[in-house]
Every structure is written in C-alpha cells, then in structure tokens.
Amino acid sequence: EDKVVQSPLSLVVHEGDTVTLNCSYEVTNFRSLLWYKQEKKAPTFLFMLTSSGIEKKSGRLSSILDKKELFSILNITATQTGDSAVYLCAVEDASGTYKYIFGTGTRLKVLA
Amino acid sequence: EPEVTQTPSHQVTQMGQEVILRCVPISNHLYFYWYRQILGQKVEFLVSFYNNEISEKSEIFDDQFSVERPDGSNFTLKIRSTKLEDSAMYFCASSDRGLAGGYTDTQYFGPGTRLTVL
C-alpha cells in the first residue's frame, strides 16, 4: 500500500533555531514530492521536488529529495514565530491520474 | 494572484441531508480535485476530474458522493445523504498541469469548507 510518513509528528523550538522535517515514502509510481505549509486552513505550496540531490531553496526554507532512499527533508533556518504551522508532505502517484498522497504532517511551534 | 475559492466556509447539516460544496478553481486550470481532512487526521484524496469526467476516485468516494462542473467556472461536490463521519474539512484543488513547458503539476488548494454533520 502506498504511504507517506512524516517525522517528527510535532516539534517545539525557539526562535532562531534550525529545524529539519522528514518525509519518507513508498509509492508505486512516484512522480514528484511536494511540501505544503498549512496554517489555519488551506495548504499553501512550498516546493515541488522531482530529481534527487537538487536542493530547492526559498528564503530560509530549503528542501532536497533522495529518490534512492525514498525520502525528503525540509529545512527551516533561523525560525520565526510565523513559521508555526503544520508542514505537509505529499507524493504524487502517477498510477492512474496523479493524485496526491499526504503524510500526517509535522506540527511545528516556534516560541518567541 | 489567482486563487481557488470555496463556499461556504462552514456548513452545518443534519444527518441524512444533502449538501453541495462549491469551488471555483483557478480560471485556466484543467484538472480539479477534492480532498478531505477529518479533524486531527491527514488530508485524503477523494476524486480527480478532467475534461468533464471523473479521472480517478478513492474508496472513500462511494455512491453518496458526486462531482459536477455545471458551468465554466464552478466545480461542486455533492454528498447525497450525509453521515456523522462525513464531518471534515473539504478542500478543492486545481492543477497547473500542462500549462507551462516542461514538468509542472502543482495543485493549488482552496481555503476549505468545514462540514459539520449533526
């Protein structure tokens, strides 16, 4: 069965800390891996990763994919209270019509 | 910036009633999706829709569910006879697949409709 597992489930850090969120997956027909940030409601897009070893970067956030070991990490440096959210990892399964399989998310809380 | 919109933001209904959740995808997108998220659980795929027909549906999407694109802008999810366990946040998403050159297929999510079945 296809699955996406995120760890840790939750994390509490102080402003300025660096965090690493993990996502491992087992999907029959992998096409891409995406990271979303979910604050109050809608998941908002952060990154799409399709190739191993190529880091995607946006400000203090970065992510990389390892297609051999079937995982991705999301790094956040110099965390701020505004980074507090649930971070969702989704894997696009191309068996059929490219649906997303989501992990349970990592709940990050950044304390001032 | 274009975005996916959903109405209503919150719907409360009695068990057994029919509800219609509405979505307006991003205007030039061609692929549409419904997902749900039961409180405290993960986001789950329900159905994908392309070219006016269902492309794929999950085991959750049983006969009580249906989707429709009644006009050029709206995309609806109908739940015919709601059950308590249908209480969840329902997200609509649309995808930019095929619109840009190369590999791009990002799903953009609406703000969700919180459905509460009493």
Side-chain angles (χ1 to χ4, degrees):
Chain A
E1 184 187 325
D2 295 338
K3 61 181 180 181
V4 177
V5 178
Q6 291 185 247
S7 63
L9 289 180
S10 67
L11 195 52
V12 180
V13 300
H14 288 92
E15 269 193 321
D17 288 350
T18 292
V19 297
T20 298
L21 310 183
N22 302 289
C23 175
S24 63
Y25 62 90
E26 291 176 33
V27 170
T28 308
N29 196 353
F30 176 89
R31 181 174 159 90
S32 64
L33 184 146
L34 299 96
W35 285 96
Y36 285 85
K37 179 182 181 182
Q38 186 177 28
E39 296 179 82
K40 291 197 170 58
K41 285 195 174 177
T44 53
F45 173 75
L46 294 175
F47 297 113
M48 173 193 276
L49 303 155
T50 56
S51 302
S52 273
I54 298 174
E55 186 183 51
K56 292 274 181 96
K57 206 165 165 58
S58 175
R60 296 176 294 102
L61 277 66
S62 64
S63 184
I64 198 160
L65 173 68
D66 185 329
K67 288 167 76 173
K68 185 179 172 192
E69 300 297 329
L70 307 183
F71 77 93
S72 173
I73 60 172
L74 175 69
N75 276 320
I76 309 174
T77 58
T79 52
Q80 302 170 356
T81 54
D83 295 327
S84 297
V86 175
Y87 289 84
L88 300 174
C89 173
V91 173
E92 188 182 10
D93 175 14
S95 307
T97 56
Y98 307 100
K99 61 181 180 291
Y100 283 8
I101 300 167
F102 279 87
T104 50
T106 292
R107 182 174 295 278
L108 174 66
K109 188 171 177 63
V110 182
L111 303 175
Chain B
E1 189 175 324
E3 57 183 21
V4 177
T5 59
Q6 289 185 244
T7 54
S9 57
H10 190 186
Q11 175 131 15
V12 181
T13 190
Q14 295 286 331
M15 193 168 56
Q17 295 296 304
E18 175 182 287
V19 295
I20 297 176
L21 311 183
R22 291 184 167 79
C23 169
V24 179
I26 293 172
S27 63
N28 60 343
H29 287 186
L30 302 174
Y31 295 82
F32 314 120
Y33 309 83
W34 283 101
Y35 292 82
R36 80 170 185 192
Q37 187 176 31
I38 295 170
L39 190 63
Q41 298 186 25
K42 62 183 177 181
V43 177
E44 300 173 290
F45 169 78
L46 291 178
V47 66
S48 58
F49 190 87
Y50 169 71
N51 201 25
N52 279 321
E53 60 182 27
I54 290 175
S55 302
E56 186 173 357
K57 56 185 181 180
S58 72
E59 59 275 9
I60 303 167
F61 194 90
D62 61 23
D63 291 344
Q64 67 163 336
F65 290 94
S66 63
V67 289
E68 197 177 33
R69 187 153 163 83
D71 53 44
S73 58
N74 289 285
F75 178 50
T76 62
L77 174 69
K78 182 191 288 186
I79 310 175
R80 259 179 275 286
S81 177
T82 49
K83 301 182 285 222
L84 295 175
E85 54 265 38
D86 294 328
S87 295
M89 180 74 90
Y90 288 81
F91 292 109
C92 172
S94 68
S95 159
D96 63 2
R97 188 185 328 155
L99 292 179
Y103 188 102
T104 176
D105 183 17
T106 301
Q107 293 183 21
Y108 295 89
F109 285 77
T113 293
R114 180 165 294 288
L115 176 65
T116 303
V117 182
L118 302 176

